Amino acid sequence: MNERLNRQIEFIREIDKLKTIYRQSYLMDKSRHENDAEHTWHITLMAWLLEEHLDQRKVNLLRVMKMLLVHDLVEIDAGDTFAYDEKGQEGKFEREMAAAKRIFGLLPVDQRDEMLALWLEFEQRETLESRYAAAMDRIQPLLHNYFTGGKAWQEHGVAADRVRARIVFLQEDLPDLYSLVQHLIDDAVKQGYLRP
Amino acid sequence: MNERLNRQIEFIREIDKLKTIYRQSYLMDKSRHENDAEHTWHITLMAWLLEEHLDQRKVNLLRVMKMLLVHDLVEIDAGDTFAYDEKGQEGKFEREMAAAKRIFGLLPVDQRDEMLALWLEFEQRETLESRYAAAMDRIQPLLHNYFTGGKAWQEHGVAADRVRARIVFLQEDLPDLYSLVQHLIDDAVKQGYLRP
């Protein structure tokens, strides 16, 4: 087996671990927490499905999908940090950067560099592609919370303003989705799913 | 909320069920069976990673990824049919077509038609994109079997010739991957993972 293919197979084998990294979100049927691999599939498909809601239609969808497919791989080493866990945010970027170097470092150099660059682009959220990808990553757990009666929100005592603060960046690029999400948050408060 | 977005959200909610459709394959750590959503994430990323091994390099990767993202959604209604279950193959296409109509039918008409066409293209395996997508769908469970010491193969008493028959179509488009897979099958027989 040639050396490039050997490295690619090792990477495919290693990233299987993403299926064992569990998040705070529950499946829509509330039966269990969802894991990062499932979450990633879901938001990659959402990025395709919801593209028409971008106010600027110039997004490179393939780039968005690639970014999403690898955005959580660092959690294989660094673990999932709950969005509303303030303590967990300390040193998070350093932990994740070390993870990115190890995991993408399994690949041939050109592929390592491509994935590392996409992961950094996602983290920095400066391009339209990365803002759109991040929007999917924020909207999906919000839908899961809303449609499970706020199960994870309630377990962690999350308040509406903290949820609102995390989606405010949608306003400019994705006005329709921003309105939808605002409506869901308001309704969640009304239904008692989310602390006012 | 506008009608299009409403349909898209219902679809996103419905397809969450893919995370509860379990396959015969085990995770690489053998801890449990994997589900269709995890499998789909894995092979969509593989399609990007292994593109260079295509002898004809004209594949449309975005199209391949879209095809893969939806290829197993029909199993929400039709269930997973084990590749080596001959009885399960009877009436499979009819069951899956009914599922495709219901599930994709939740979407706005243009998106329903796009996804239905991609699913059919995948099933018919006539284009380079669909053959490449199908190759990922075959190689991934083979890797999972190989790296778990043939756990699912052994549980079902699968013989090497049946595994070989399922990957013979790789030979033309993906000679490197075909050689790799042949080597893994031979070694699996030698190690006693797979019946000769």
Side-chain angles (χ1 to χ4, degrees):
Chain A
M1 179 156 52
N2 69 56
E3 176 59 18
R4 265 187 88 81
L5 183 51
N6 194 28
R7 282 176 163 265
Q8 290 162 340
I9 299 294
E10 272 313 302
F11 180 79
I12 289 167
R13 193 178 173 180
E14 176 67 21
I15 65 173
D16 201 63
K17 294 175 183 162
L18 197 68
K19 302 168 189 173
T20 66
I21 308 296
Y22 284 87
R23 308 167 54 83
Q24 293 304 320
S25 301
Y26 286 88
L27 297 192
M28 294 285 189
D29 68 5
K30 304 191 204 175
S31 60
R32 60 167 171 83
H33 290 276
E34 78 167 349
N35 66 56
D36 275 347
E38 299 168 325
H39 158 76
T40 299
W41 159 74
H42 213 172
I43 63 178
T44 307
L45 202 158
M46 282 171 60
W48 164 23
L49 194 66
L50 300 175
E51 190 185 3
E52 69 191 55
H53 300 288
L54 274 166
D55 230 28
Q56 286 178 270
R57 304 280 168 99
K58 291 164 298 183
V59 80
N60 179 334
L61 184 59
L62 180 61
R63 191 172 177 80
V64 171
M65 285 189 175
K66 286 179 167 182
M67 212 178 282
L68 287 172
L69 287 168
V70 299
H71 84 291
D72 269 345
L73 286 178
V74 294
E75 298 190 358
I76 288 174
D77 287 357
D80 179 55
T81 307
F82 187 49
Y84 304 101
D85 170 11
E86 275 169 28
K87 271 229 166 139
Q89 307 304 318
E90 287 169 23
K92 182 172 176 254
F93 184 74
E94 290 67 26
R95 286 196 306 277
E96 293 191 345
M97 177 55 99
K101 285 184 178 163
R102 183 189 75 77
I103 296 163
F104 298 131
L106 297 171
L107 287 168
V109 174
D110 56 317
Q111 292 188 314
R112 176 198 69 191
D113 291 349
E114 183 187 8
M115 291 196 186
L116 205 50
L118 284 166
W119 174 72
L120 273 172
E121 184 178 339
F122 178 81
E123 287 295 311
Q124 290 163 351
R125 224 198 303 151
E126 283 166 3
T127 61
L128 179 63
E129 278 78 11
S130 60
R131 284 198 306 275
Y132 181 56
M136 299 301 109
D137 192 39
R138 301 276 165 103
I139 292 171
Q140 189 256 9
L142 196 148
L143 292 175
H144 279 70
N145 255 304
Y146 181 78
F147 289 118
T148 58
K151 196 162 163 65
W153 284 332
Q154 292 192 330
E155 284 179 4
H156 296 274
V158 177
D161 280 352
R162 299 189 63 200
V163 180
R164 284 197 186 92
R166 281 180 59 80
I167 50 96
V168 74
F169 75 96
L170 271 69
Q171 198 161 6
E172 197 182 329
D173 303 320
L174 294 157
D176 290 4
L177 293 180
Y178 183 70
S179 298
L180 164 69
V181 163
Q182 291 280 78
H183 166 77
L184 295 180
I185 295 171
D186 291 345
D187 194 56
V189 171
K190 210 168 120 189
Q191 306 285 341
Y193 302 164
L194 185 59
R195 266 177 47 207
Chain B
M1 179 159 48
N2 69 55
E3 176 60 16
R4 265 188 88 81
L5 183 50
N6 194 27
R7 283 176 162 264
Q8 290 162 339
I9 298 294
E10 272 313 302
F11 180 79
I12 289 167
R13 192 178 174 180
E14 176 67 20
I15 65 174
D16 201 63
K17 294 174 184 164
L18 197 68
K19 302 168 188 173
T20 67
I21 308 296
Y22 284 87
R23 307 166 55 81
Q24 294 303 320
S25 301
Y26 286 88
L27 297 192
M28 294 283 189
D29 68 6
K30 304 191 205 175
S31 60
R32 60 167 172 82
H33 290 275
E34 78 167 348
N35 66 56
D36 274 347
E38 299 168 325
H39 158 76
T40 298
W41 159 73
H42 213 172
I43 63 177
T44 306
L45 202 159
M46 282 171 60
W48 163 22
L49 194 67
L50 300 176
E51 191 185 2
E52 69 191 54
H53 300 288
L54 273 166
D55 230 28
Q56 285 179 269
R57 304 280 168 102
K58 292 165 297 183
V59 80
N60 179 335
L61 184 60
L62 180 61
R63 192 172 177 80
V64 172
M65 285 189 176
K66 286 179 168 181
M67 212 179 283
L68 286 173
L69 286 168
V70 299
H71 84 290
D72 269 345
L73 286 177
V74 294
E75 297 190 358
I76 288 174
D77 287 355
D80 179 55
T81 307
F82 187 49
Y84 303 102
D85 169 11
E86 275 168 28
K87 271 227 166 143
Q89 307 305 319
E90 287 169 24
K92 181 170 176 256
F93 184 75
E94 290 67 27
R95 287 197 306 277
E96 293 191 346
M97 178 55 99
K101 285 185 177 163
R102 183 189 75 78
I103 297 163
F104 298 130
L106 296 170
L107 288 168
V109 175
D110 57 317
Q111 292 188 313
R112 175 198 69 190
D113 291 349
E114 184 187 7
M115 291 196 186
L116 205 50
L118 284 166
W119 174 71
L120 274 173
E121 184 179 338
F122 178 82
E123 288 294 310
Q124 290 163 351
R125 226 198 303 150
E126 283 166 6
T127 60
L128 179 62
E129 278 77 13
S130 60
R131 284 198 306 275
Y132 181 56
M136 299 301 109
D137 192 40
R138 301 277 165 103
I139 293 171
Q140 189 256 9
L142 196 148
L143 292 175
H144 279 70
N145 255 304
Y146 182 79
F147 288 118
T148 57
K151 198 162 163 63
W153 283 332
Q154 293 192 330
E155 284 179 5
H156 297 275
V158 177
D161 280 352
R162 300 189 62 200
V163 181
R164 285 198 186 91
R166 281 180 60 80
I167 50 95
V168 74
F169 74 96
L170 271 68
Q171 197 161 9
E172 198 182 328
D173 303 320
L174 294 157
D176 290 5
L177 294 179
Y178 183 69
S179 297
L180 164 70
V181 163
Q182 291 281 78
H183 167 76
L184 295 180
I185 295 171
D186 291 344
D187 194 56
V189 171
K190 210 169 121 190
Q191 306 285 341
Y193 302 163
L194 185 59
R195 265 177 48 207

